[in-house]
Amino acid sequence: LPPERDVVFQTSTIGALLQGVYDGDMALAELRRQGDLGIGTVNGLDGELIVLNGACFAVRADGRVHLLATDTLTPFAAVTSFEADQTVPLGGVGSFAELQELLDARLPTPNLCYAIRITGIFSYVKTRSVPRQTRPYPKLAEVVSSQPVFEFGRISGTLVGFRLPGFVAVAG
């Protein structure tokens, strides 16, 4: 069966990830049956997972993007079957805070989850990733305290994510 529209499928919870549950239990082949756009991580916390147009990529700790095999496991991911409800021109957005404000002003309600896909040429992008972890796994807060950060100027690409309601707070 095809995935339902306006449904976000999530495997595991952010709470489990925060506690160091990094062993994957779902293959990307199965995840892709649930949606074609999303984010997450891969087995052992080996980078940031990006699902775009049904293809699964990992941004590893060296900053490079790798196409992943469908048998790769994920311990945490959220995907949806993406179909844009609206297109918003973003010219002149100068910061992440400005982007959030612009998107929030266009959303019908702040109380729902929205999949966001932004394609363009960006004057500046700051990203991060995490290195692969080994057992015993440290908690996520310890891992991200020393994660590599990458800055890019004048780069083209696609940003993928979800805009969540404010009441969906992540407790550390």
Side-chain angles (χ1 to χ4, degrees):
L1 292 173
E4 290 185 53
R5 186 180 179 331
D6 294 339
V7 170
V8 175
F9 173 87
Q10 181 174 302
T11 180
S12 193
T13 64
I14 193 67
L17 202 64
L18 288 168
Q19 294 304 310
V21 180
Y22 306 148
D23 289 325
D25 61 354
M26 177 176 278
L28 296 181
E30 173 59 26
L31 183 70
R32 288 178 14 181
R33 285 193 276 279
Q34 306 302 322
D36 60 5
L37 181 132
I39 56 175
T41 191
V42 292
N43 197 49
L45 204 65
D46 191 15
E48 301 293 328
L49 172 66
I50 300 165
V51 182
L52 177 62
N53 299 327
C56 298
F57 304 91
V59 180
R60 298 269 163 70
D62 63 2
R64 292 200 231 152
V65 178
H66 302 266
L67 181 64
L68 297 170
T70 58
D71 63 349
T72 301
L73 298 177
T74 178
F76 173 81
V79 295
T80 190
S81 183
F82 187 79
E83 189 176 324
D85 290 333
Q86 62 178 296
T87 300
V88 178
L90 298 177
V93 173
S95 69
F96 185 59
E98 287 179 21
L99 174 62
Q100 289 174 306
E101 287 176 25
L102 186 142
L103 293 175
D104 289 347
R106 297 294 295 263
L107 299 176
T109 174
N111 298 322
L112 295 175
C113 177
Y114 297 93
I116 307 291
R117 182 180 70 196
I118 303 171
T119 300
I121 300 171
F122 305 92
S123 59
Y124 173 78
V125 175
K126 184 176 185 178
T127 66
R128 55 133 181 105
S129 190
V130 289
R132 179 173 187 74
Q133 301 298 300
T134 57
R135 291 175 175 247
Y137 295 132
K139 291 188 177 183
L140 189 59
E142 182 182 330
V143 175
V144 299
S145 69
S146 61
Q147 68 188 349
V149 175
F150 308 96
E151 297 182 63
F152 303 95
R154 187 103 177 117
I155 187 168
S156 65
T158 302
L159 304 177
V160 172
F162 292 94
R163 184 69 172 138
L164 302 174
F167 57 80
V168 183
V170 177

